[in-house]
Amino acid sequence: MSQERIYLCLAHMSGNEMQYIQEAFDTNWVVPLGPNVNAFEKDLEEFVGQDKRVVALSAGTAAIHLALVALGVKPGDEVICQSFTFAASANPVVYQGATPVFVDSEEGTWNMDPNLLEEAVKQSIARTGRPPRAIIPVYLYGMPAHIDEIMAIARRYEIPVLEDAAEGLGSRYRGRVVGTFGDYGALSFNGNKMITTSGGGALICPDEEAKSRVMYYATQAREPLPYYHHLAIGYNYRMSNICAGIGRGQMTVLDAHIAHHVHVKDFYVEHLAGVDGITVHVAPEDYMEPNYWLNTILVDPKKTGYDYEALRRHLDSLGIESRPLWKPMHCQPVFRDAPAVVNGVSERLFEQGLCLPSGPMVTDAHLHYIVDAISRFGS
Ligand SMILES: *Cc1c(COP(=O)(O)O)cnc(C)c1O
């Protein structure tokens, strides 16, 4: 049992993927467009609903970048971004020559604090004389944000919203899939996300017109002429028809994956309830249904007698992968000069949190082994 290493979230295939890949080979659609790409986009459009359009892309980072391009973010602009996230939420702001303004998290969801957001908007207006060009809330570890409150502020100041739902595929807020509340929503299908295309992403767009605009930029901004004619700078960001074949297969198990991650959450909640000083992160509101992409715990060293790093090393020695939470962007040397509105929440979470194995390859036997390892440590 303790021999094989237990990972956070390994890829898990449905068994249907090879059939779509074989079709691509048989028909020689081994290119970054084709039937799998179109069908995968259709599957995603059906899944997210709300009459949205979806563009399949080479990465979640590309999706965030293209949304900023579509929103006209340019040098000199400020873009508000959740601080507690992976760097890929913020890096595309810099690709556009704009400045990220980081906003700290609230206690309940660990996502963008709406009060701090409004403060950041006011500060940005005072600095630049106009509202920021976009707001990027994140669904960290699949947890919904207080998106109604965030959207209300965005509407009041007429600022577009790009939801970073890279970790939140299939999470719901008041029954509606996250990534469909703002102007754009970014998804990721990297190897360790809810579903994988090996590497890939998608952008949820408001309508057909926005979708064609995003496709245009994703395919080198080519004009509809027989020769290559360019009026804008484009990108090579389209998803390969092979990867999209994997995506079509993965869509057949997305609901099962989500159910599994929720089951893992329930297991941790039940079996860690008696461990003083360990708290499992769960939805703070009953209208939030996270996908529980990575299940996370906070370690209170005053109660446990050890810190998260000691626990991480102990688990590692037993063959269990765990990982510190994302280090906030306002604490990253590379973003040292970026404005930030902080309240200490994400820094404290970073100093106390660990991600635990949660993916579809994690069995109940693994889970028993993991909670035993945590329960026994320090006692
Ligand atoms: C994974 C991730 C991304 C980027 O997605 P890629 O497909 O890896 O480019 C962006 N934001 C967050 C919060 C992520 O976790």
Side-chain angles (χ1 to χ4, degrees):
M1 174 65 241
S2 60
Q3 311 312 330
E4 59 175 313
R5 197 168 160 76
I6 307 170
Y7 293 95
L8 292 181
C9 191
L10 289 181
H12 163 267
M13 294 299 116
S14 68
N16 305 319
E17 289 81 4
M18 284 310 291
Q19 165 205 331
Y20 296 115
I21 294 173
Q22 190 62 48
E23 264 172 43
F25 275 75
D26 292 346
T27 54
N28 207 22
W29 279 102
V30 188
V31 279
L33 79 166
N36 281 336
V37 178
N38 299 338
F40 183 42
E41 287 176 342
K42 209 162 155 285
D43 289 348
L44 287 166
E45 285 170 2
E46 263 165 39
F47 181 82
V48 303
Q50 306 297 324
D51 212 20
K52 296 279 182 174
R53 294 294 173 269
V54 175
V55 183
L57 298 164
S58 56
T61 311
I64 294 169
H65 188 192
L66 285 183
L68 297 179
V69 169
L71 291 171
V73 173
K74 53 182 194 322
D77 287 342
E78 291 194 348
V79 171
I80 292 183
C81 182
Q82 182 165 319
S83 184
F84 196 32
T85 187
F86 176 44
S89 307
N91 286 342
V93 174
V94 181
Y95 302 167
Q96 285 305 100
T99 303
V101 175
F102 294 112
V103 169
D104 215 326
S105 293
E106 50 176 18
E107 296 276 354
T109 64
W110 297 5
N111 290 316
M112 187 178 277
D113 182 319
N115 296 321
L116 292 190
L117 166 63
E118 180 146 33
E119 178 57 32
V121 171
K122 287 181 184 157
Q123 288 183 13
S124 180
I125 293 171
R127 240 184 339 259
T128 66
R130 58 177 193 273
R133 182 70 69 164
I135 299 170
I136 310 177
V138 183
Y139 300 107
L140 214 64
Y141 304 116
M143 183 64 68
H146 272 108
I147 194 66
D148 278 350
E149 288 80 350
I150 291 169
M151 290 306 298
I153 294 162
R155 287 202 188 94
R156 198 171 328 130
Y157 293 89
E158 297 180 16
I159 309 166
V161 171
L162 157 59
E163 300 163 82
D164 180 347
E167 301 179 3
L169 178 60
S171 297
R172 285 164 197 275
Y173 176 97
R174 298 191 194 280
R176 177 165 162 184
V177 170
V178 302
T180 63
F181 290 84
D183 300 76
Y184 291 93
L187 301 173
S188 168
F189 315 118
N190 207 348
N192 56 351
K193 296 283 162 78
M194 284 306 286
I195 61 168
T196 183
T197 58
S198 68
L203 189 63
I204 304 172
C205 303
D207 51 36
E208 201 59 52
E209 194 189 328
K211 175 170 175 168
S212 358
R213 193 89 191 128
V214 168
M215 294 254 257
Y216 164 82
Y217 283 112
T219 53
Q220 309 285 25
R222 198 184 155 186
E223 297 305 316
L225 290 165
Y227 51 90
Y228 283 78
H229 186 73
H230 301 286
L231 301 174
I233 298 295
Y235 303 87
N236 182 8
Y237 278 171
R238 202 74 167 112
M239 179 177 277
S240 137
N241 195 53
I242 303 299
C243 294
I246 307 175
R248 288 179 77 183
Q250 290 277 286
M251 286 305 284
T252 65
V253 283
L254 173 54
D255 287 330
H257 280 192
I258 295 171
H260 176 85
H261 287 253
V262 171
H263 163 73
V264 173
K265 181 268 297 180
D266 290 338
F267 193 101
Y268 284 135
V269 168
E270 184 186 337
H271 290 85
L272 293 173
V275 186
D276 198 29
I278 302 273
T279 332
V280 182
H281 182 41
V282 297
E285 317 275 7
D286 56 11
Y287 54 84
M288 295 179 177
E289 295 168 72
N291 62 14
Y292 290 103
W293 167 58
L294 288 187
N295 283 286
T296 54
I297 53 169
L298 291 182
V299 180
D300 180 349
K302 284 195 219 81
K303 291 183 179 158
T304 54
Y306 56 81
D307 68 4
Y308 78 90
E309 179 54 14
L311 178 60
R312 190 191 66 77
R313 283 205 227 109
H314 174 68
L315 295 176
D316 187 60
S317 74
L318 296 173
I320 301 165
E321 184 187 21
S322 66
R323 191 191 289 162
L325 303 185
W326 298 119
K327 182 173 182 176
M329 291 306 113
H330 73 268
C331 302
Q332 299 285 359
V334 72
F335 291 124
R336 182 185 314 119
D337 298 330
V341 183
V342 300
N343 57 7
V345 170
S346 63
E347 280 173 64
R348 181 182 60 79
L349 294 171
F350 173 62
E351 281 161 16
Q352 297 203 343
L354 274 186
C355 304
L356 297 179
S358 304
M361 307 301 272
V362 178
T363 65
D364 275 15
H366 291 146
L367 291 173
H368 279 289
Y369 178 68
I370 295 164
V371 296
D372 278 357
I374 296 173
S375 309
R376 292 203 186 127
F377 187 54
S379 59

